Amino acid sequence: MDNFDPEIFEIKFTIADAAAKQYEKQGKNFTLHRVAEEVDLDVANIFEYFPNKKAILLFYYEAIIVRYLLMLQEIEGFEDYTLAEKLSNFAYTSFDLFGEHEEFVRQTFRPLILCSYTTTEFEAKSRQLIKDFFTSDPRISMSSSLLTNDYLYSLLYKKYTALIRFWLKEESEGKEVSMELTDKYTVFLQEIMYNTTIDKGLELAKFLFTNNIFGRGFESIKKLFPEIEIRD
């Protein structure tokens, strides 16, 4: 997080958190005066950090990712986690953070994030985080690494937001279905990315070509597969 100022972030998040609370009480008609009262600031002070109410609400979502990144600094050995562990940890923690103002997220996630005409900071930071998980994992197979591009990260971001939408709609106790769905999805994705079957096939093809196996005729094949009986 280049040029990250923890003090400024704390002030901005405090304002955004208060705005989320007011939104849950009053909807989109909440006032900055009530937000200012709650954080013990003047409205003029709020405008020093945000140009308008929408910017405050958008920052609440951006702060979800920033807060998660700060949490990662406290997790010992996180760099050694598997891909599934990293992705599921991100999703689970997101659910917990969204749960602080679940009603606010339920009302605003679609209009502010999913239907935004521009790339939000929440989307940009989420995609970058997912990209970092993939590019820093040495266990991803060589063939699977060919799939790691901006299109893949964009697709995975959409899957991430789909999980959030499912979590928001779920009514099971402790939202256990969302947790299980996340676990199964991330494990499945890891299996694809770690699979080395294609790598081994490419190595076999390279060996056959390099050693001109098929160019040596029947005798070479017979040496490779002596159990095969050729009949006239």
Side-chain angles (χ1 to χ4, degrees):
M1 294 184 291
D2 296 334
N3 302 318
F4 177 73
D5 189 321
E7 292 185 5
I8 292 179
F9 172 78
E10 186 65 30
I11 295 172
K12 294 179 70 173
F13 174 69
T14 300
I15 295 171
D17 186 64
K21 291 179 182 178
Q22 291 301 315
Y23 195 103
E24 289 177 323
K25 295 177 181 178
Q26 303 177 16
K28 63 178 66 176
N29 295 320
F30 76 95
T31 67
L32 291 183
H33 289 283
R34 294 297 298 273
V35 174
E37 289 177 1
E38 185 162 338
V39 297
D40 197 24
L41 291 173
D42 294 328
V43 173
N45 296 135
I46 293 179
F47 282 115
E48 292 177 7
Y49 299 98
F50 298 102
N52 50 50
K53 291 199 298 184
K54 182 178 179 180
I56 298 175
L57 300 181
L58 282 171
F59 186 80
Y60 179 85
Y61 284 101
E62 177 185 351
I64 293 291
I65 309 303
V66 175
R67 293 168 69 194
Y68 178 70
L69 291 172
L70 293 174
M71 291 178 184
L72 289 188
Q73 298 177 10
E74 305 299 322
I75 301 178
E76 185 176 353
F78 184 79
E79 64 276 5
D80 297 323
Y81 280 22
T82 65
L83 184 62
E85 289 171 337
K86 289 180 179 179
L87 291 170
S88 60
N89 179 270
F90 174 41
Y92 296 155
T93 306
S94 296
F95 297 158
D96 287 341
L97 296 176
F98 283 133
E100 295 173 354
H101 292 294
E102 185 174 338
E103 186 56 36
F104 164 76
V105 176
R106 183 174 290 107
Q107 294 182 42
T108 64
F109 188 69
R110 182 175 181 82
L112 288 179
I113 302 300
L114 296 181
C115 297
S116 174
Y117 292 109
T118 60
T119 301
T120 64
E121 284 298 315
F122 174 80
E123 177 180 350
K125 284 181 167 54
S126 296
R127 288 174 60 175
Q128 183 60 51
L129 180 61
I130 293 170
K131 179 179 180 179
D132 290 343
F133 288 162
F134 277 75
T135 57
S136 64
D137 194 329
R139 288 159 291 200
I140 291 179
S141 65
M142 180 180 66
S143 54
S144 295
S145 67
L146 298 176
L147 303 174
T148 54
N149 51 41
D150 289 340
Y151 176 78
L152 174 65
Y153 306 135
S154 178
L155 177 63
L156 293 178
Y157 167 75
K158 291 179 181 178
K159 296 299 183 183
Y160 167 55
T161 58
L163 285 174
I164 295 172
R165 284 182 290 153
F166 183 86
W167 175 83
L168 287 169
K169 295 178 180 179
E170 188 190 348
E171 297 180 352
S172 67
E173 184 177 354
K175 295 187 180 289
E176 293 180 356
V177 178
S178 292
M179 302 301 180
E180 186 173 355
L181 175 62
T182 299
D183 184 59
K184 291 184 180 299
Y185 170 66
T186 55
V187 169
F188 171 72
L189 183 60
Q190 175 177 289
E191 287 297 314
I192 294 175
M193 301 307 296
Y194 282 7
N195 192 293
T196 60
T197 302
I198 296 179
D199 290 1
K200 295 182 186 303
L202 292 173
E203 290 176 3
L204 174 60
K206 180 180 178 181
F207 174 81
L208 295 174
F209 177 79
T210 301
N211 292 277
N212 195 27
I213 299 298
F214 294 116
R216 296 178 182 178
F218 170 74
E219 290 302 322
S220 295
I221 298 178
K222 190 173 181 180
K223 290 179 180 179
L224 281 174
F225 307 103
E227 72 279 6
I228 297 179
E229 180 180 354
I230 306 297
R231 298 179 179 178
D232 295 333

